[in-house]
Amino acid sequence: MPSAPSTDLSDDDIAQRFRAAGIVVPADRAAGTAAAARRLLGVLHWLRAPRSVAAEPAAILVLGERVPR
C-alpha cells in the first residue's frame, strides 16, 4: 500500500492546488478550505487504494455486437 501523503502543506501549496484545479476560494473561507484539504489529503491513501487485477470488472460488453435472444 502506498505511503500516506504529507499533510504538512502550507496554505500557499493548497491554494496552488486549488488554482490548478480552477477553484476560486473566497478570502473569508480560505482557512476552512485549507483545513478541509489537509484532512482529505490525510485520508487520500484510503480513497485511492491500489486495485488488484482480480478486483477489476470483467469486460462483458463488446461494442458493435448484438446479443442473441
Side-chain angles (χ1 to χ4, degrees):
M1 180 164 252
S3 62
S6 175
T7 58
D8 59 349
L9 296 172
S10 70
D11 287 346
D12 292 333
D13 293 334
I14 291 174
Q16 183 180 7
R17 286 179 180 232
F18 283 145
R19 280 193 300 276
I23 299 170
V24 178
V25 179
D28 61 331
R29 308 246 177 170
T33 55
R38 281 190 194 88
R39 286 192 303 272
L40 287 173
L41 288 171
V43 298
L44 188 63
H45 61 282
W46 290 329
L47 298 174
R48 289 189 179 169
R51 293 173 61 158
S52 68
V53 175
E56 294 293 329
I60 57 172
L61 299 176
V62 179
L63 295 177
E65 282 189 24
R66 293 186 60 141
V67 177
R69 293 186 191 201

